[in-house]
Amino acid sequence: MTDDTDTTDERTDGGETGIVPPDDETPAWSERKARKQGLSRLTYEYFERARREDQDLRQQSSYVERDVLGFPAWPHEMVRNLALTSFFVGMIIILSATLPPHIDAPANPSSTPEVILPDWYLYWSFGLLKLGFLNPELSLLGGEKLMTDRTYGVLANLVVVGIVAIVPFLNKGSARRPVEQPFWASVGVAGVVFSFTIAVLSIKNLVPIEEGLLNDLTFLLPIVAGFISYAVLKSMREGYMFNLNRRYYRLRPPK
Amino acid sequence: MSLERKDDHDHGAWLESRDDLSHIETAYLTVLMWLDKRLRIVDYLELLEDLYYKVNMQMPKSHTEQYGLDNKFWYWYPLYALGSFSTLAYVVAAISGALLGFYYTPGAGASETSSLAYQQIEFIMLELNFGYFLRSLHRWSAQVMVAAVFLHMLRVYFTGAYKEPRELNWLLGIVLISLTMVFGYTGYLLPWDQLAFWAGQIGVEMSLSIPLIGEWVAQLLFGGFTPNPATLQRMYILHVFFLPFIVTALIAIHIGIVWMQGIAEPH
Ligand code: HEM
């Protein structure tokens, strides 16, 4: 058993293993892929292109790469993470120890409570349900509403979530900081303020403001806040551009 | 000829021949070899190693580093912790929730005064050691999670981090924040007190007002057109079975995408 001539494969149950050793005849992985048809062929071709593109870009690029590996995960990153984590979890624990939860009377289908409210983070949605006063009455239908106020409210929820969802497809380009895109930043501020005012609207029976005024404020305040932040950001942008220009001309003084 | 298999690469003998190893090292190698013989761990370790180096060896200089911009927006950076804080609060809620689950029973069946679910909550709050605190912890971590998620979304919005190539993560985020709120809503119904019951009523009405499929949705989610024992049972299963799996998976994908794409930096 020890000499070299004896090492022909005696161990298989018989016959060939069916495993072909790679030699010149055996197609490589990429060749096997290249022979494919249809969609997998397209996938392969695209991947090859993409890989070549990456390669080219990397070769052309003057992008500076670090010659260090970055911060060591231990202890630097881990100590920081542990500190943040324990601070944060500690905060939750202190909150729960000092402000214990409430439990109401048992459910009773035959007595409707004065105030029905969800948790605070659903107030905005609840407020949108109370927008019935905006539901258009069509004179065409003889003052009838096209949909019930309830349907209108649910639709308002969908519209708001939908608008937030398509933001990346509306606002393109490489601007990131609020000063670089005053318009979108002020839209954001208006949105945040609206989420508060609409939340207040949802508890309107608890708010000592007259109803018509509250309805108006719900929509006016966000617009005002939006305009103010637009003005502020615009003027900040002037200062920002001034600094950039100054730096530029310091580096390359005009001849 | 013996039936004993011959060991081509006699790792055992190799191990014996190494007398410079400590007990820990020997034990480690023995386990590793045993597992590797059966599971070919070596291949997978190689893959992992490959991944590790691809990720860590050559980090391009970040935009901030390259242009020395660090001093300009350090004040944004704390806000970048909000996503991790959402995850943390989620973990705390999951742990405290699992513990609450040891004691809670859904059950809104008719009884003169209060339901089984309500009695269980009373038991947790009044009799169980630390039960009061446990419920408090669960509620607060849920609230803090929603707050953190909302602020995280604002951070992403105001730093323009949703732009190409991160649109998908933004959409995924919308799904996540909605599911977080559904999580909160279903949990809100579980004590089956007055608030829960009437919040349930609002939910039923909301589903009913959806055109065409409203009644079907109300039946599916709430098991009827007024809150009833089936409603509680369904909210319970949503809260402790469906949502945990779905949300955990989505958070993993969300963070996985952040890992693949890197954090967007302000320009
Ligand atoms: C359960 C809720 C969520 C969790 C646990 C979560 C977690 C995270 C984490 C850990 C990050 C890494 C960066 C950071 O921490 O800021 C991140 C990034 C991101 N999140 Fe979330 N997130 C959640 C909800 C959302 C929501 C509601 C949105 C937006 C609608 C969103 C959109 C994004 C985007 C676009 C990024 C990439 C940001 C960048 O590259 O700078 N996420 N998320």
Side-chain angles (χ1 to χ4, degrees):
Chain A
M1 291 291 274
T2 47
D3 71 20
D4 281 338
T5 53
D6 212 354
T7 49
T8 46
D9 213 352
E10 302 154 358
R11 288 190 199 152
T12 48
D13 289 340
E16 297 278 317
T17 54
I19 299 172
V20 186
D23 57 23
D24 294 345
E25 303 295 301
T26 319
W29 181 83
S30 54
E31 286 167 329
R32 279 207 305 278
K33 291 283 172 186
R35 284 183 206 160
K36 285 236 163 94
Q37 300 288 314
L39 290 184
S40 43
R41 164 91 204 174
L42 281 181
T43 314
Y44 164 77
E45 280 178 13
Y46 168 69
F47 278 177
E48 285 296 296
R49 292 183 56 83
R51 211 172 293 149
R52 219 174 308 132
E53 186 191 0
D54 276 1
Q55 178 84 3
D56 292 350
L57 282 177
R58 223 172 276 135
Q59 274 165 357
Q60 290 165 13
S61 152
S62 59
Y63 209 53
V64 187
E65 303 223 324
R66 274 197 202 117
D67 45 4
V68 293
L69 300 186
F71 287 118
W74 176 262
H76 302 62
E77 300 283 302
M78 279 305 159
V79 166
R80 187 202 58 185
N81 293 350
L82 277 177
L84 281 174
T85 305
S86 25
F87 173 78
F88 185 72
V89 176
M91 190 191 75
I92 297 180
I93 289 177
I94 288 180
L95 270 176
S96 13
T98 49
L99 299 168
H102 165 80
I103 182 162
D104 225 25
N108 181 359
S110 52
S111 97
T112 313
E114 296 254 319
V115 185
I116 305 178
L117 275 183
D119 264 342
W120 57 269
Y121 48 81
L122 288 174
Y123 284 7
W124 62 272
S125 165
F126 202 49
L128 289 173
L129 293 183
K130 296 191 176 175
L131 284 185
F133 63 90
L134 288 183
N135 195 356
E137 298 171 9
L138 297 185
S139 47
L140 206 64
L141 301 175
E144 287 278 315
K145 293 186 171 186
L146 193 55
M147 46 188 149
T148 62
D149 285 352
R150 265 187 350 200
T151 312
Y152 188 77
V154 173
L155 194 67
N157 269 282
L158 288 183
V159 167
V160 166
V161 175
I163 290 176
V164 178
I166 58 172
V167 164
F169 304 97
L170 297 179
N171 178 18
K172 299 186 177 248
S174 61
R176 288 221 193 275
R177 315 175 59 191
V179 280
E180 292 172 339
Q181 36 180 357
F183 173 74
W184 282 97
S186 44
V187 167
V189 170
V192 175
V193 174
F194 180 63
S195 72
F196 280 99
T197 53
I198 194 78
V200 172
L201 184 73
S202 76
I203 47 175
K204 58 182 164 191
N205 43 358
L206 303 181
V207 181
I209 302 180
E210 190 226 326
E211 178 153 354
L213 181 62
L214 189 63
N215 289 346
D216 293 343
L217 281 182
T218 304
F219 291 93
L220 280 180
L221 282 183
I223 295 177
V224 170
F227 269 110
I228 292 178
S229 41
Y230 187 74
V232 169
L233 287 171
K234 267 289 200 189
S235 38
M236 277 174 71
R237 183 153 84 163
E238 295 302 316
Y240 178 68
M241 291 305 293
F242 176 77
N243 268 337
L244 278 185
N245 285 336
R246 194 172 56 177
R247 230 195 275 184
Y248 179 84
Y249 287 117
R250 253 195 217 139
L251 284 176
R252 298 178 191 72
K255 298 220 172 74
Chain B
M1 207 169 76
S2 109
L3 286 175
E4 187 80 7
R5 267 194 174 186
K6 191 175 60 158
D7 198 341
D8 289 337
H9 303 281
D10 196 346
H11 300 302
W14 170 71
L15 191 57
E16 303 254 300
S17 73
R18 296 290 302 264
D19 42 13
D20 51 334
L21 298 179
S22 71
H23 289 303
I24 295 179
E25 287 166 329
T26 320
Y28 168 73
L29 269 183
T30 314
V31 173
L32 185 67
M33 277 158 44
W34 192 88
L35 286 175
D36 186 46
K37 203 163 177 183
R38 286 154 183 82
L39 303 172
R40 289 308 297 159
I41 295 183
V42 168
D43 295 348
Y44 299 100
L45 281 183
E46 246 169 46
L47 275 178
L48 281 183
E49 204 179 43
D50 207 40
L51 259 178
Y52 176 83
Y53 282 110
K54 279 201 179 111
V55 170
N56 287 294
M57 278 301 269
Q58 290 225 320
M59 295 210 281
K61 260 195 181 171
S62 70
H63 187 86
T64 27
E65 262 176 309
Q66 199 159 4
Y67 298 104
L69 296 173
D70 224 31
N71 54 346
K72 281 199 101 65
F73 25 72
W74 60 269
Y75 46 82
W76 284 108
Y77 290 167
L79 303 180
Y80 284 61
L82 284 165
S84 319
F85 282 171
S86 321
T87 318
L88 270 177
Y90 181 65
V91 171
V92 174
I95 295 172
S96 54
L99 293 178
L100 278 179
F102 289 170
Y103 304 102
Y104 173 83
T105 323
S111 98
E112 311 84 62
T113 50
S114 61
S115 58
L116 180 58
Y118 190 85
Q119 285 159 13
Q120 289 302 103
I121 299 283
E122 269 184 331
F123 164 76
I124 290 173
M125 300 246 291
L126 299 177
E127 281 163 55
L128 182 66
N129 278 343
F130 282 108
Y132 213 98
F133 179 70
L134 198 58
R135 175 154 184 254
S136 190
L137 191 60
H138 191 65
R139 293 208 57 155
W140 273 110
S141 51
Q143 317 252 340
V144 166
M145 176 178 172
V146 179
V149 171
F150 186 64
L151 294 175
H152 169 62
M153 184 167 107
L154 293 187
R155 173 319 251 168
V156 169
Y157 182 87
F158 285 109
T159 54
Y162 51 80
K163 293 186 171 181
E164 190 191 327
R166 297 186 177 78
E167 302 97 326
L168 273 185
N169 233 7
W170 174 265
L171 292 179
L172 195 50
I174 304 280
V175 176
L176 271 174
I177 199 173
S178 314
L179 288 182
T180 310
M181 288 179 185
V182 177
F183 232 133
Y185 178 78
T186 52
Y188 195 66
L189 295 203
L190 295 186
W192 211 242
D193 55 3
Q194 274 289 69
L195 283 174
F197 186 89
W198 294 97
Q201 181 67 36
I202 294 174
V204 172
E205 281 170 19
M206 277 180 75
S207 346
L208 279 178
S209 65
I210 302 171
L212 300 181
I213 53 168
E215 297 193 355
W216 184 79
V217 172
Q219 279 286 3
L220 182 69
L221 290 181
F222 295 95
F225 299 141
T226 50
N228 60 67
T231 313
L232 182 57
Q233 188 73 28
R234 284 171 199 210
M235 290 301 126
Y236 177 69
I237 291 301
L238 281 177
H239 192 80
V240 305
F241 182 73
F242 282 103
L243 286 171
F245 278 109
I246 298 173
V247 171
T248 307
L250 290 185
I251 290 179
I253 297 176
H254 187 76
I255 295 177
I257 292 179
V258 174
W259 186 54
M260 283 164 65
Q261 300 188 323
I263 300 275
E265 292 173 77
H267 283 274

